[in-house]
Amino acid sequence: MRRLRAIWGSWRPDDRWVFRGTAAVVLLACAIESGRVIVADAGPGPGIAVAATVLAVVAAPWTPWTALGLATVAPVLGGLSGWSPIVTWSCAVLLLFAVSSRQGHPVRAAAIVAPGVVIGTLLAPGEGGAVPTALGALISVVAAAAIGSGLRVQHQYRASLEQRAADAVATRELEAERRVAEERVRIARDLHDVIGHEIAVVSMQLGVAEVTLPAGADEARRALDAARDGVRNVLTETQHVLTVLRSASGSGAELDDPTAPAPGIEQLPGLVASYERIGLDVDARLDDVGPVSVPIGVTVYRVLQESLTNAHRHGEGRTTVTLARAGDDLVLEVRNPRRRTPASDPVAGRSSGLGLVGMRERVAAVGGSVRAAPDGVLFVVRVHLPTANGAR
């Protein structure tokens, strides 16, 4: 019983059902054929042929080519005994189908089975005649090998799709981690630059106040000294936090130069040019929007950077950028045609969406609003940023 269980579980999960079904049919046919041989008292030849077929089914999981050899001998033994080999050659053809679906090499398998099947039918052709029966047997051999090989190809194709899907999931997770780390470092650096500027202004004003204090205002002078020490501590701690964030990212992402100042409106033409150099066709219409605050400038730059990145990765290679004022608001709009993803590819065209999440968080942090969604064949990003009290 354990031996049978080992045979039952020795085939791969993909083709196990093929062999089990084939083995069940062959064993049932052999059982019926054995009954006929016993009732007809046909002698040892047909019985040995049936036994060879059963042995071939049992041996097939471990030695498929030997099993095919046993199966192809069975029709010859039956034909030599004068017994119609139709059952034994039919079982040989079914076993050929099962082995081809698992092992492949259909030509080799057919070459092993075909001689015995044809010889067996020629030795005992039955009522149909020798040539038609042999020709039908040969056609069945070719068909079984072809169908089994086709089923194997289908199994391999399905397995490759499952592997691609698993690889895509793993790749998306790595990409998501990289994008999170990259965006975190960028935001930290931008905040550091903005806070550093404001703290420098506060420190300068405290110094001016200290210089202009009248003689004898020692209490006020000590308070200003303490305030300047606090400002310096805030700047130092901010630098430490930025250093930790940069070193903890470990993503290997290609970030901007960490020594460069915070980007802004003035760097937008250079940003557009950098994407044009990598093949993105950008139609940019950037109006002179005047001075804006550092946070607004950083937000515009980063939103445009993320939008152009998405257009390059998921679009058809061209995009339109518009930057203009609408009353007190600054309006940035990016439009690009969406890439058409083939329905047969379940992996392509997917993205983590973390870039859009970071974009919305940036815009919300400065009191703006953003809409990023498909619009027909286009993908549109439209951002409104308030500038009424932000220019400096």
Side-chain angles (χ1 to χ4, degrees):
M1 194 66 182
R2 292 181 180 178
R3 193 71 169 177
L4 291 177
R5 288 179 180 175
I7 296 172
W8 194 256
S10 62
W11 287 66
R12 299 179 311 174
D14 283 346
D15 52 25
R16 185 178 299 167
W17 67 272
V18 175
F19 177 72
R20 288 176 176 174
T22 304
V25 172
V26 171
L27 293 177
L28 178 61
C30 289
I32 296 174
E33 186 72 354
S34 298
R36 290 181 59 226
V37 170
I38 293 172
V39 170
D41 193 17
I48 295 174
V50 173
T53 303
V54 173
L55 183 60
V57 173
V58 173
W62 294 283
T63 58
W65 305 114
T66 303
L68 288 181
L70 288 172
T72 194
V73 168
V76 178
L77 293 175
L80 289 173
S81 305
W83 185 265
S84 175
I86 185 170
V87 173
T88 52
W89 73 253
S90 298
C91 292
V93 168
L94 288 173
L95 191 59
L96 166 64
F97 160 74
V99 171
S100 297
S101 68
R102 183 194 183 199
Q103 298 292 332
H105 306 290
V107 175
R108 182 198 301 177
I112 294 174
V113 173
V117 170
V118 173
I119 293 172
T121 54
L122 290 176
L123 290 174
E127 299 179 357
V131 175
T133 304
L135 182 59
L138 184 60
I139 291 174
S140 67
V141 168
V142 175
I147 295 173
S149 178
L151 189 61
R152 174 180 171 82
V153 171
Q154 183 187 27
H155 286 163
Q156 291 176 336
Y157 176 69
R158 183 179 63 187
S160 68
L161 288 182
E162 293 174 352
Q163 184 62 42
R164 286 183 62 193
D167 293 342
V169 170
T171 302
R172 286 201 306 275
E173 290 176 353
L174 293 175
E175 176 67 11
E177 294 176 0
R178 187 193 67 81
R179 294 288 293 277
V180 168
E182 179 180 346
E183 188 66 13
R184 181 177 63 180
V185 174
R186 282 177 173 171
I187 292 175
R189 196 197 65 196
D190 294 343
L191 288 175
H192 170 268
D193 292 338
V194 173
I195 293 173
H197 170 74
E198 300 298 337
I199 289 178
V201 172
V202 172
S203 180
M204 182 184 65
Q205 298 297 333
L206 290 174
V208 172
E210 184 178 2
V211 170
T212 57
L213 282 176
D218 296 335
E219 190 68 25
R221 187 169 284 103
R222 284 193 296 270
L224 289 175
D225 286 339
R228 293 183 67 183
D229 289 339
V231 168
R232 283 193 296 268
N233 290 335
V234 169
L235 183 57
T236 301
E237 290 300 322
T238 304
Q239 291 172 339
H240 289 168
V241 169
L242 177 60
T243 301
V244 171
L245 287 174
R246 283 173 176 164
S247 61
S249 65
S251 63
E254 294 182 1
L255 302 178
D256 299 332
D257 181 5
T259 62
I265 301 293
E266 298 79 7
Q267 284 78 39
L268 293 185
L271 177 64
V272 171
S274 68
Y275 280 87
E276 289 177 333
R277 285 195 296 270
I278 62 175
L280 184 64
D281 182 11
V282 184
D283 179 14
R285 294 187 285 273
L286 306 176
D287 292 352
D288 183 7
V289 296
V292 296
S293 65
V294 175
I296 294 295
V298 172
T299 301
V300 171
Y301 185 93
R302 294 305 186 196
V303 168
L304 180 57
Q305 185 179 45
E306 179 64 29
S307 300
L308 293 179
T309 299
N310 290 336
H312 183 257
R313 289 179 177 175
H314 309 298
E316 293 189 344
R318 62 184 186 277
T319 186
T320 301
V321 177
T322 304
L323 177 66
R325 278 195 179 273
D328 291 334
D329 288 350
L330 200 63
V331 180
L332 174 67
E333 185 175 84
V334 182
R335 293 174 170 263
N336 66 271
R338 293 186 292 165
R339 183 179 303 162
R340 296 176 177 84
T341 303
S344 60
D345 191 343
V347 176
R350 299 178 181 176
S351 64
S352 65
L354 293 173
L356 296 180
V357 172
M359 181 189 302
R360 293 188 175 95
E361 291 176 351
R362 280 186 176 275
V363 173
V366 295
S369 62
V370 59
R371 180 183 182 276
D375 184 7
V377 298
L378 300 176
F379 190 86
V380 180
V381 177
R382 187 176 179 87
V383 178
H384 287 260
L385 298 170
T387 61
N389 299 318
R392 286 187 187 163

mmCIF file of all heavy atoms in Angstrom, residues 179 306-307 310 351-362 370-373 379-381:
data_model
loop_
_atom_site.group_PDB
_atom_site.id
_atom_site.type_symbol
_atom_site.label_atom_id
_atom_site.label_comp_id
_atom_site.label_asym_id
_atom_site.label_seq_id
_atom_site.Cartn_x
_atom_site.Cartn_y
_atom_site.Cartn_z
ATOM 1 N N ARG A 179 11.476 53.807 -3.153
ATOM 2 C CA ARG A 179 10.819 55.092 -3.362
ATOM 3 C C ARG A 179 10.492 55.769 -2.039
ATOM 4 O O ARG A 179 10.597 56.995 -1.906
ATOM 5 C CB ARG A 179 9.539 54.892 -4.176
ATOM 6 C CG ARG A 179 9.760 54.425 -5.600
ATOM 7 C CD ARG A 179 10.341 55.524 -6.461
ATOM 8 N NE ARG A 179 9.394 56.608 -6.641
ATOM 9 C CZ ARG A 179 8.424 56.608 -7.543
ATOM 10 N NH1 ARG A 179 8.282 55.576 -8.368
ATOM 11 N NH2 ARG A 179 7.602 57.630 -7.653
ATOM 12 N N GLU A 306 8.099 64.210 -9.936
ATOM 13 C CA GLU A 306 7.366 62.952 -9.821
ATOM 14 C C GLU A 306 6.454 62.732 -11.024
ATOM 15 O O GLU A 306 6.333 61.617 -11.537
ATOM 16 C CB GLU A 306 6.545 62.952 -8.523
ATOM 17 C CG GLU A 306 5.719 61.700 -8.302
ATOM 18 C CD GLU A 306 6.575 60.456 -8.143
ATOM 19 O OE1 GLU A 306 7.722 60.586 -7.656
ATOM 20 O OE2 GLU A 306 6.111 59.364 -8.529
ATOM 21 N N SER A 307 5.814 63.805 -11.504
ATOM 22 C CA SER A 307 4.912 63.677 -12.650
ATOM 23 C C SER A 307 5.671 63.282 -13.905
ATOM 24 O O SER A 307 5.219 62.431 -14.686
ATOM 25 C CB SER A 307 4.167 64.993 -12.871
ATOM 26 O OG SER A 307 3.398 65.341 -11.741
ATOM 27 N N ASN A 310 6.659 59.590 -13.685
ATOM 28 C CA ASN A 310 5.539 58.710 -14.010
ATOM 29 C C ASN A 310 5.224 58.729 -15.498
ATOM 30 O O ASN A 310 4.892 57.695 -16.085
ATOM 31 C CB ASN A 310 4.304 59.115 -13.210
ATOM 32 C CG ASN A 310 4.450 58.806 -11.733
ATOM 33 O OD1 ASN A 310 5.220 57.940 -11.348
ATOM 34 N ND2 ASN A 310 3.731 59.530 -10.897
ATOM 35 N N SER A 351 1.990 49.945 -10.875
ATOM 36 C CA SER A 351 2.914 50.775 -10.099
ATOM 37 C C SER A 351 2.458 50.772 -8.657
ATOM 38 O O SER A 351 1.324 50.428 -8.338
ATOM 39 C CB SER A 351 2.953 52.194 -10.657
ATOM 40 O OG SER A 351 1.697 52.816 -10.526
ATOM 41 N N SER A 352 3.364 51.149 -7.770
ATOM 42 C CA SER A 352 3.044 51.107 -6.339
ATOM 43 C C SER A 352 2.112 52.218 -5.908
ATOM 44 O O SER A 352 1.391 52.090 -4.936
ATOM 45 C CB SER A 352 4.350 51.184 -5.537
ATOM 46 O OG SER A 352 4.973 52.437 -5.757
ATOM 47 N N GLY A 353 2.112 53.379 -6.615
ATOM 48 C CA GLY A 353 1.281 54.507 -6.232
ATOM 49 C C GLY A 353 1.850 55.330 -5.120
ATOM 50 O O GLY A 353 1.240 56.311 -4.685
ATOM 51 N N LEU A 354 3.046 54.968 -4.596
ATOM 52 C CA LEU A 354 3.627 55.716 -3.489
ATOM 53 C C LEU A 354 4.069 57.096 -3.905
ATOM 54 O O LEU A 354 4.083 58.018 -3.094
ATOM 55 C CB LEU A 354 4.817 54.930 -2.920
ATOM 56 C CG LEU A 354 4.452 53.614 -2.224
ATOM 57 C CD1 LEU A 354 5.701 52.849 -1.860
ATOM 58 C CD2 LEU A 354 3.619 53.885 -0.995
ATOM 59 N N GLY A 355 4.463 57.253 -5.165
ATOM 60 C CA GLY A 355 4.846 58.573 -5.647
ATOM 61 C C GLY A 355 3.698 59.553 -5.577
ATOM 62 O O GLY A 355 3.864 60.710 -5.174
ATOM 63 N N LEU A 356 2.492 59.092 -5.942
ATOM 64 C CA LEU A 356 1.319 59.959 -5.876
ATOM 65 C C LEU A 356 0.952 60.272 -4.428
ATOM 66 O O LEU A 356 0.502 61.381 -4.124
ATOM 67 C CB LEU A 356 0.137 59.292 -6.590
ATOM 68 C CG LEU A 356 0.309 59.068 -8.097
ATOM 69 C CD1 LEU A 356 -0.926 58.392 -8.676
ATOM 70 C CD2 LEU A 356 0.575 60.384 -8.813
ATOM 71 N N VAL A 357 1.147 59.294 -3.537
ATOM 72 C CA VAL A 357 0.883 59.551 -2.116
ATOM 73 C C VAL A 357 1.810 60.637 -1.592
ATOM 74 O O VAL A 357 1.392 61.581 -0.905
ATOM 75 C CB VAL A 357 1.040 58.250 -1.305
ATOM 76 C CG1 VAL A 357 0.951 58.547 0.187
ATOM 77 C CG2 VAL A 357 -0.024 57.241 -1.703
ATOM 78 N N GLY A 358 3.110 60.514 -1.916
ATOM 79 C CA GLY A 358 4.062 61.540 -1.492
ATOM 80 C C GLY A 358 3.744 62.893 -2.084
ATOM 81 O O GLY A 358 3.897 63.931 -1.425
ATOM 82 N N MET A 359 3.280 62.906 -3.341
ATOM 83 C CA MET A 359 2.911 64.162 -3.989
ATOM 84 C C MET A 359 1.760 64.835 -3.235
ATOM 85 O O MET A 359 1.796 66.044 -2.961
ATOM 86 C CB MET A 359 2.505 63.873 -5.438
ATOM 87 C CG MET A 359 2.120 65.088 -6.247
ATOM 88 S SD MET A 359 1.401 64.619 -7.851
ATOM 89 C CE MET A 359 2.724 63.668 -8.562
ATOM 90 N N ARG A 360 0.748 64.067 -2.887
ATOM 91 C CA ARG A 360 -0.409 64.642 -2.174
ATOM 92 C C ARG A 360 0.004 65.168 -0.793
ATOM 93 O O ARG A 360 -0.490 66.198 -0.341
ATOM 94 C CB ARG A 360 -1.508 63.595 -2.042
ATOM 95 C CG ARG A 360 -2.148 63.202 -3.378
ATOM 96 C CD ARG A 360 -3.360 62.308 -3.173
ATOM 97 N NE ARG A 360 -4.025 62.034 -4.427
ATOM 98 C CZ ARG A 360 -3.810 60.955 -5.168
ATOM 99 N NH1 ARG A 360 -2.945 60.046 -4.747
ATOM 100 N NH2 ARG A 360 -4.439 60.771 -6.309
ATOM 101 N N GLU A 361 0.909 64.433 -0.132
ATOM 102 C CA GLU A 361 1.356 64.886 1.181
ATOM 103 C C GLU A 361 2.133 66.190 1.082
ATOM 104 O O GLU A 361 1.972 67.087 1.921
ATOM 105 C CB GLU A 361 2.222 63.797 1.817
ATOM 106 C CG GLU A 361 1.430 62.557 2.213
ATOM 107 C CD GLU A 361 2.321 61.462 2.761
ATOM 108 O OE1 GLU A 361 3.562 61.612 2.660
ATOM 109 O OE2 GLU A 361 1.799 60.456 3.278
ATOM 110 N N ARG A 362 2.970 66.324 0.069
ATOM 111 C CA ARG A 362 3.723 67.569 -0.115
ATOM 112 C C ARG A 362 2.784 68.746 -0.341
ATOM 113 O O ARG A 362 2.923 69.809 0.258
ATOM 114 C CB ARG A 362 4.661 67.437 -1.313
ATOM 115 C CG ARG A 362 5.952 66.700 -1.032
ATOM 116 C CD ARG A 362 6.864 66.774 -2.251
ATOM 117 N NE ARG A 362 8.143 66.152 -1.994
ATOM 118 C CZ ARG A 362 9.168 66.753 -1.422
ATOM 119 N NH1 ARG A 362 9.051 67.996 -1.021
ATOM 120 N NH2 ARG A 362 10.317 66.110 -1.241
ATOM 121 N N VAL A 370 -4.444 68.813 -4.961
ATOM 122 C CA VAL A 370 -3.928 68.110 -6.136
ATOM 123 C C VAL A 370 -4.966 67.105 -6.602
ATOM 124 O O VAL A 370 -5.663 66.485 -5.792
ATOM 125 C CB VAL A 370 -2.587 67.396 -5.808
ATOM 126 C CG1 VAL A 370 -2.756 66.398 -4.684
ATOM 127 C CG2 VAL A 370 -2.032 66.695 -7.048
ATOM 128 N N ARG A 371 -5.043 66.971 -7.927
ATOM 129 C CA ARG A 371 -5.887 65.936 -8.530
ATOM 130 C C ARG A 371 -5.015 65.169 -9.526
ATOM 131 O O ARG A 371 -4.486 65.763 -10.477
ATOM 132 C CB ARG A 371 -7.096 66.530 -9.237
ATOM 133 C CG ARG A 371 -8.004 65.470 -9.871
ATOM 134 C CD ARG A 371 -9.169 66.095 -10.637
ATOM 135 N NE ARG A 371 -10.056 65.087 -11.196
ATOM 136 C CZ ARG A 371 -9.851 64.467 -12.349
ATOM 137 N NH1 ARG A 371 -8.767 64.773 -13.069
ATOM 138 N NH2 ARG A 371 -10.693 63.551 -12.799
ATOM 139 N N ALA A 372 -4.860 63.885 -9.308
ATOM 140 C CA ALA A 372 -4.058 63.039 -10.190
ATOM 141 C C ALA A 372 -4.897 61.823 -10.545
ATOM 142 O O ALA A 372 -5.123 60.953 -9.706
ATOM 143 C CB ALA A 372 -2.758 62.613 -9.511
ATOM 144 N N ALA A 373 -5.384 61.773 -11.795
ATOM 145 C CA ALA A 373 -6.291 60.702 -12.186
ATOM 146 C C ALA A 373 -6.329 60.605 -13.701
ATOM 147 O O ALA A 373 -5.994 61.557 -14.418
ATOM 148 C CB ALA A 373 -7.701 60.964 -11.641
ATOM 149 N N PHE A 379 -3.376 60.861 -18.648
ATOM 150 C CA PHE A 379 -3.266 60.923 -17.189
ATOM 151 C C PHE A 379 -2.922 62.363 -16.838
ATOM 152 O O PHE A 379 -1.941 62.918 -17.354
ATOM 153 C CB PHE A 379 -2.182 59.985 -16.663
ATOM 154 C CG PHE A 379 -2.213 59.842 -15.168
ATOM 155 C CD1 PHE A 379 -3.036 58.914 -14.572
ATOM 156 C CD2 PHE A 379 -1.434 60.660 -14.359
ATOM 157 C CE1 PHE A 379 -3.084 58.779 -13.188
ATOM 158 C CE2 PHE A 379 -1.470 60.543 -12.981
ATOM 159 C CZ PHE A 379 -2.302 59.600 -12.389
ATOM 160 N N VAL A 380 -3.723 62.979 -15.966
ATOM 161 C CA VAL A 380 -3.614 64.408 -15.695
ATOM 162 C C VAL A 380 -3.288 64.623 -14.219
ATOM 163 O O VAL A 380 -3.948 64.059 -13.343
ATOM 164 C CB VAL A 380 -4.917 65.145 -16.064
ATOM 165 C CG1 VAL A 380 -4.788 66.637 -15.774
ATOM 166 C CG2 VAL A 380 -5.264 64.910 -17.525
ATOM 167 N N VAL A 381 -2.271 65.432 -13.968
ATOM 168 C CA VAL A 381 -1.938 65.900 -12.626
ATOM 169 C C VAL A 381 -2.147 67.410 -12.607
ATOM 170 O O VAL A 381 -1.522 68.132 -13.388
ATOM 171 C CB VAL A 381 -0.486 65.552 -12.246
ATOM 172 C CG1 VAL A 381 -0.149 66.124 -10.879
ATOM 173 C CG2 VAL A 381 -0.261 64.051 -12.275
#
